[in-house]
Amino acid sequence: MNRREFVKTSVTGLSAVGSLKAAESRALPVVISSANGLKATQKAMEIIRRGEDTLDAVVAGVNLVEEDPNDRSVGYGGLPNELGVVQLDASVMHGPTRGAGSVAALEGIKTPSRVAKLVMERTDHVLLVGEGAQKFALAMGFRNEDLLTDEAREIWLKWKSQLNPDDDWINPEDRVSGSLADEGRVNLKKVLKYHGTINCNAVNEKGDISGVTTTSGLSFKIPGRVGDSPIIGAGLYVDDDVGACGSTGRGEAHLKACASFMVVEFMRQGLSPEEAGLRVLKRISENTVEPYLKDEAGRPNFHLLFYVINKKGEFAGVSMYSGRQYAVHDGKVNRLCDAAYLYEAKDALE
Ligand code: GLY
């Protein structure tokens, strides 16, 4: 049985659970991250080794990437929205206290993960967005009024929908007709659109688990677009009894699937991190019915990845397509590993 058949068999039903080789047991602590997080896993492990909190550790880790102007997908230096404004999304979850906090469409703050952590620690809320999130972070704000009439908006929407084959506006009739794919929109999106993000999750020697996901979101997005990263259960989920999962890739797919929550729930049912991630990727693949989101073989034409740990310290990076990596510090070595995958990538764009 080749790798593809092996994966296909193992994710088709609960009866197949156990057909995958059981994940090798790992010594705690463990820190896992997306591939752009090698310095984040190193930093987080150093903090965990000093006996400090797992959430402090992973946030300090991703802060290095948020503050790095050369990472185009996170924080300072992240690619902007359609209007040229950088809008950042982030979420945190702290397993021991069952805490969660997040911010979305936050402008002007380099480290949205720290703001998300403060939302968790200093408010009775979970999610602050846009101007409110900025006011919370900066204790300052500005007036914003919508001056657009309904009539003018309809004219403007029509113009927007025909503006550019690589923008995110869609005529309703094109959504189901397949014409978007026929026009080559898919290929343009693959080349120009960017869903980079960093997720980092940790489990310490006591089994305490925390996670953080932070991003500048989809490049050139419609202003106000919020991806999966700040949505608890989509871009991040931590259950201190079970494990943690965070995601990168097309946020809209993770959002519709409650993807990270589902991965953790499958682990609660007994699946390994790899099995749980692959099971959810298969579900998302089956639910991707829009013609413009499928390749010629009927598979999703976008990337998705999960970074998964459980309370025992077993871990996996799991990808829709082959050829992807993730970062992990297993307490001994900090390194990049090849992610498990659902489908073999067929061409360079994948
Ligand atoms: N996964 C990041 C985003 O789509 O915004």
Side-chain angles (χ1 to χ4, degrees):
M1 186 185 291
N2 65 29
R3 169 73 191 175
R4 196 167 169 185
E5 290 165 338
F6 178 62
V7 167
K8 207 171 166 185
T9 303
S10 65
V11 297
T12 48
L14 277 173
S15 60
V17 173
S19 64
L20 279 175
K21 186 165 63 102
E24 185 188 338
S25 283
R26 304 283 176 184
L28 300 170
V30 172
V31 184
I32 189 170
S33 176
S34 40
N36 55 347
L38 204 53
K39 59 188 174 187
T41 49
Q42 179 66 37
K43 177 81 175 177
M45 183 58 77
E46 287 166 13
I47 293 171
I48 287 171
R49 281 199 177 119
R50 296 202 299 260
E52 295 178 35
D53 182 74
T54 48
L55 184 55
D56 290 339
V58 292
V59 169
V62 300
N63 286 165
L64 297 175
V65 182
E66 288 176 323
E67 290 170 339
D68 179 355
N70 296 315
D71 191 307
R72 297 274 169 259
S73 68
V74 179
Y76 180 52
L79 291 173
N81 67 15
E82 202 180 63
L83 298 180
V85 177
V86 176
Q87 291 188 320
L88 304 175
D89 299 338
S91 61
V92 301
M93 289 191 79
H94 185 238
T97 58
R98 316 278 163 168
S102 59
V103 290
L106 174 62
E107 297 177 12
I109 308 292
K110 276 184 179 175
T111 55
S113 65
R114 287 192 198 165
V115 184
K117 187 166 179 281
L118 285 169
V119 172
M120 182 189 85
E121 292 170 342
R122 305 295 295 269
T123 81
D124 188 36
H125 306 315
V126 170
L127 172 58
L128 296 181
V129 305
E131 187 184 351
Q134 190 187 56
K135 279 183 173 171
F136 174 75
L138 299 175
M140 67 182 215
F142 52 91
R143 202 163 168 217
N144 187 9
E145 290 177 294
D146 184 359
L147 303 179
L148 206 60
T149 65
D150 286 343
E151 290 78 9
R153 181 180 295 110
E154 281 310 312
I155 296 166
W156 177 67
L157 284 172
K158 186 71 182 169
W159 171 76
K160 281 289 213 184
S161 72
Q162 296 170 345
L163 183 62
N164 182 339
D166 187 43
D167 65 31
D168 287 314
W169 298 84
I170 294 176
N171 277 323
E173 59 269 25
D174 291 341
R175 183 173 200 89
V176 291
S177 70
S179 60
L180 291 173
D182 296 344
E183 287 167 11
R185 177 189 178 104
V186 167
N187 284 334
L188 280 167
K189 274 179 168 282
K190 279 181 176 173
V191 172
L192 298 175
K193 289 294 186 180
Y194 195 68
H195 288 91
T197 295
I198 182 168
N199 163 250
C200 187
N201 307 312
V203 53
N204 69 10
E205 276 144 358
K206 291 188 289 179
D208 293 343
I209 307 167
S210 291
V212 56
T213 303
T214 176
T215 189
S216 50
L218 175 66
S219 59
F220 320 127
K221 59 194 171 188
I222 295 172
R225 178 264 187 187
V226 173
D228 56 321
S229 304
I231 304 303
I232 301 301
L236 177 68
Y237 197 70
V238 175
D239 186 316
D240 211 47
D241 296 331
V242 179
C245 177
S247 57
T248 60
R250 181 180 160 80
E252 284 71 12
H254 293 305
L255 279 166
K256 290 198 287 184
C258 301
S260 290
F261 174 77
M262 192 166 17
V263 171
V264 173
E265 287 307 297
F266 279 138
M267 288 198 289
R268 189 194 304 280
Q269 293 174 17
L271 272 65
S272 72
E274 180 175 323
E275 290 167 338
L278 289 169
R279 180 75 63 87
V280 175
L281 288 174
K282 184 169 184 290
R283 175 86 60 88
I284 292 173
S285 178
E286 289 166 351
N287 284 335
T288 301
V289 296
E290 301 92 331
Y292 75 102
L293 292 176
K294 299 204 284 189
D295 69 9
E296 60 288 342
R299 308 176 310 175
N301 62 18
F302 48 84
H303 268 297
L304 298 177
L305 285 108
F306 296 122
Y307 313 94
V308 196
I309 54 171
N310 68 17
K311 202 167 176 68
K312 292 186 282 187
E314 295 166 344
F315 60 85
V318 189
S319 171
M320 184 67 83
Y321 287 101
S322 60
R324 291 295 167 130
Q325 293 192 304
Y326 64 102
V328 67
H329 199 314
D330 62 5
K332 299 189 185 93
V333 186
N334 190 37
R335 64 190 190 280
L336 289 174
C337 296
D338 291 338
Y341 57 89
L342 188 63
Y343 298 123
E344 199 78 56
K346 281 194 308 191
D347 60 51
L349 284 174
E350 292 175 344

